[in-house]
Amino acid sequence: MREPVDVLICGAGATGLTLAIDLARRGVRFALIEKLHSPFLGSRGKGIQPRTQEVFEDLGILDRVMAAGGNYPTIRKYAPDGSYMDQELTSVAEPRPAEPYWLPLMIPQFKTEAVLRERLIELGYAPEFGIELIATVDRGDGVKAILATPDGEQTLQTRYLVGADGGRSFVRSTLGIGFPGKTLGVRAIVADVVLDGLRRDLWHQFNGGDSGPLSICPLAGTDLFQIQAPVPLEGDIDLSAAALTERIALHTGRTDITVHSVAWSSSYSMNARLADRYREGPVFLVGDAAHVHPPTGGQGLNTSVQDAYNLGWKLAAVLAGAPETLLETYEAERRPVAADVLGLSTRLLAGFKAGDNRRPREVQQLDIGYHHSPLSLPSQAAESGLAPGDRAPDAIMRGAGGRTARLFHLFKGTHWTLLVNGPSNFAPRAGMHIHVIGPGSEIEDHLGQFAQFYSLGEGSAVLVRPDGYLAGFFTKDDAVALDGYLARYTCSSS
């Protein structure tokens, strides 16, 4: 019998690690288990979108992730006759203070997960590899988990169980939750290889004629290339270095490209599926356990990380005394997002088949919001067009000591944030930071960005959730309304 925990996370990929980090910094007792005996070694989810970069900044790992990866290269598209044209993956926009990250970051998944594990260790925890969940028993006040370990079967009592165990989720199947959707009729290979014969500053995409398309992308932060290509729906696929060299020659008509070694490889069928529900009592689904996407657009890992980021602060709040109803907002907010992302990824797959690799703004995930969430307080929207449920924009300001300040730095951490335009009647609350913005206040809006983005009246305020979304707007006379909102969804008191 293991020591009981408040949360058991099943699956130590990027999703489970993100949730573990968020719980660790909030002081929650948890265990993170992974049935594999060692970390995942592949590049599968290699794109980190701008919104996920904001999440990683809050978790304290963005600089490390950026250092371990790099920008996406220009795409070079080759025709069967050997001619080519170059295309940027995304339209390069000028950075805006409200959106400090505007380009996707490329980093192989195994490097992202290594950074996440390092951060978790700093917080005093580590994933347990070679531990498999084999049965669960609902105890009314939580879950009894039966674990297969190198030392034999063990039991662990947990108040909440989170399935972050992938598309073939044992947790989901144990709950009997349906996973409807469709297989998209596309089977593909992906392989991380060492090769020569191609430049590393280009993403090489070959039309291949009758042989079909083939993509060879240099993996930022490594000496590897990632090979991707469709393959027949049935039959064994040889993914040895020699076989991949032959496949490249078949698709490209070139004999100067040689694969020397294979670091990791896989074949898979593309699916688009969404779980019927994300929760069954004390058990939750996150990431691929709740939704699977085709890889086009780099949405899967990013959506999964943000599932964990959404659930983490809510679990911690309820464990600290907030009303249990807060946990009902997880599915209400995240399942519609996954449904939209499934549609986007499928549309991008159709475009990819037609030779269009461009990625629209939607892939950045900066416009995702929770307007219909119970947590979005009905109120008059700000004149800027912001509304409860929107992502809170960043802004550059100046502290009282003259130093540069950013709103994202004020949001960073585990708290709620109240931004107030000048003097007001709002009082401090446990778990909420108040920042007064205006001339002679702790923060000055010397560039006018806060006023432009938020458009608050004098003495008015906006409440920002722990995950960086707007909860509601309050006039200077709305202190009672603010207290009522916090009483419903937090454990704060005067």
Side-chain angles (χ1 to χ4, degrees):
M1 189 74 178
R2 290 185 165 212
E3 287 292 320
V5 295
D6 291 318
V7 181
L8 171 61
I9 307 168
C10 183
T15 311
L17 287 164
T18 299
L19 179 58
I21 290 170
D22 207 16
L23 295 179
R25 66 179 184 155
R26 296 172 188 279
V28 173
R29 295 181 306 160
F30 69 91
L32 174 62
I33 62 171
E34 169 58 57
K35 69 178 181 180
L36 296 178
H37 291 275
S38 60
F40 174 69
L41 298 177
S43 63
R44 190 155 37 206
K46 65 179 182 295
I48 306 298
Q49 299 296 344
R51 176 55 188 158
T52 305
Q53 293 174 42
E54 295 177 356
V55 172
F56 283 174
E57 180 178 29
D58 180 42
L59 297 181
I61 61 170
L62 180 59
D63 287 343
R64 299 181 215 183
V65 171
M66 286 184 164
N71 293 328
Y72 273 79
T74 298
I75 297 171
R76 175 158 291 182
K77 303 176 71 173
Y78 299 85
D81 64 3
S83 61
Y84 61 81
M85 62 174 291
D86 291 344
Q87 180 186 79
E88 296 303 324
L89 181 71
T90 184
S91 299
V92 179
E94 291 296 321
R96 298 191 299 164
E99 299 173 352
Y101 312 111
W102 71 102
L103 288 175
L105 172 70
M106 181 197 288
I107 173 173
Q109 185 171 335
F110 69 87
K111 299 196 77 173
T112 300
E113 292 181 3
V115 172
L116 288 163
R117 283 194 302 275
E118 180 182 78
R119 178 65 178 138
L120 185 60
I121 290 170
E122 291 173 351
L123 294 169
Y125 290 86
E128 297 182 70
F129 290 97
I131 310 293
E132 183 176 4
L133 178 68
I134 57 174
T136 62
V137 179
D138 189 340
R139 297 284 295 270
D141 59 346
V143 176
K144 182 173 78 170
I146 313 300
L147 309 178
T149 81
D151 300 321
E153 278 193 13
Q154 297 178 354
T155 60
L156 181 149
Q157 181 70 26
T158 180
R159 182 165 172 186
Y160 297 105
L161 168 64
V162 180
D165 51 343
R168 295 186 176 92
S169 171
F170 173 80
V171 174
R172 188 189 63 242
S173 63
T174 298
L175 295 174
I177 294 177
F179 203 39
K182 59 183 178 180
T183 299
L184 300 175
V186 178
R187 187 185 182 206
I189 61 167
V190 58
D192 301 343
V193 305
V194 175
L195 62 75
D196 59 28
L198 291 173
R199 289 168 50 178
R200 288 196 60 84
D201 59 343
L202 295 168
W203 184 345
H204 307 270
Q205 295 187 354
F206 298 90
N207 183 310
D210 294 338
S211 301
L214 179 137
S215 167
I216 305 178
C217 180
L219 289 172
T222 76
D223 61 356
L224 300 170
F225 285 82
Q226 183 192 71
I227 298 174
Q228 291 179 298
V231 294
L233 294 176
E234 303 293 339
D236 295 333
I237 304 296
D238 188 347
L239 294 174
S240 66
L244 288 171
T245 299
E246 291 179 8
R247 182 177 294 276
I248 291 171
L250 179 66
H251 285 258
T252 67
R254 292 172 53 170
T255 58
D256 60 329
I257 305 171
T258 303
V259 176
H260 295 288
S261 62
V262 181
W264 171 81
S265 64
S266 177
S267 63
Y268 64 99
S269 295
M270 295 187 191
N271 285 271
R273 298 186 180 278
L274 179 63
D276 284 334
R277 57 190 186 279
Y278 279 22
R279 181 187 186 187
E280 183 70 33
V283 185
F284 296 83
L285 301 177
V286 294
D288 286 357
H291 47 80
V292 293
H293 314 254
T296 41
Q299 299 296 285
L301 182 146
N302 292 273
T303 304
S304 299
V305 163
Q306 290 171 56
D307 286 346
Y309 191 60
N310 183 285
L311 180 60
W313 71 269
K314 296 174 181 179
L315 283 171
V318 171
L319 288 165
E324 178 82 14
T325 53
L326 178 62
L327 294 176
E328 297 174 4
T329 68
Y330 166 63
E331 178 178 328
E333 292 183 345
R334 293 305 299 170
R335 193 172 183 276
V337 169
D340 288 343
V341 170
L342 281 170
L344 172 63
S345 299
T346 304
R347 293 194 302 273
L348 291 174
L349 177 61
F352 177 77
K353 290 178 179 178
D356 185 0
N357 301 104
R358 291 172 297 177
R359 297 184 178 180
R361 175 179 168 87
E362 293 99 298
V363 303
Q364 299 178 343
Q365 302 196 347
L366 293 170
D367 298 323
I368 288 173
Y370 306 127
H371 301 138
H372 302 295
S373 168
L375 291 177
S376 298
L377 185 69
S379 63
Q380 185 175 359
E383 295 178 4
S384 64
L386 287 177
D390 282 338
R391 164 192 164 276
D394 197 6
I396 299 172
M397 298 176 295
R398 184 168 59 202
R403 61 179 177 80
T404 298
R406 288 175 55 205
L407 282 183
F408 277 11
H409 291 164
L410 304 184
F411 301 158
K412 188 173 183 178
T414 61
H415 54 272
W416 296 71
T417 306
L418 189 72
L419 303 175
V420 186
N421 182 25
S424 72
N425 298 320
F426 298 106
R429 295 291 182 270
M432 183 183 77
H433 294 187
I434 296 181
H435 297 285
V436 179
I437 300 171
S441 300
E442 61 169 300
I443 299 171
E444 294 186 355
D445 185 24
H446 66 300
L447 300 177
Q449 293 178 3
F450 175 72
Q452 176 188 351
F453 301 154
Y454 287 83
S455 299
L456 295 180
E458 185 176 353
S460 294
V462 60
L463 181 64
V464 181
R465 298 166 20 163
D467 57 354
Y469 287 88
L470 305 181
F473 295 87
F474 302 87
T475 68
K476 60 183 178 181
D477 300 320
D478 278 346
V480 174
L482 174 63
D483 289 345
Y485 178 92
L486 293 173
R488 289 196 302 275
Y489 295 116
T490 76
C491 56
S492 69
S493 58
S494 300

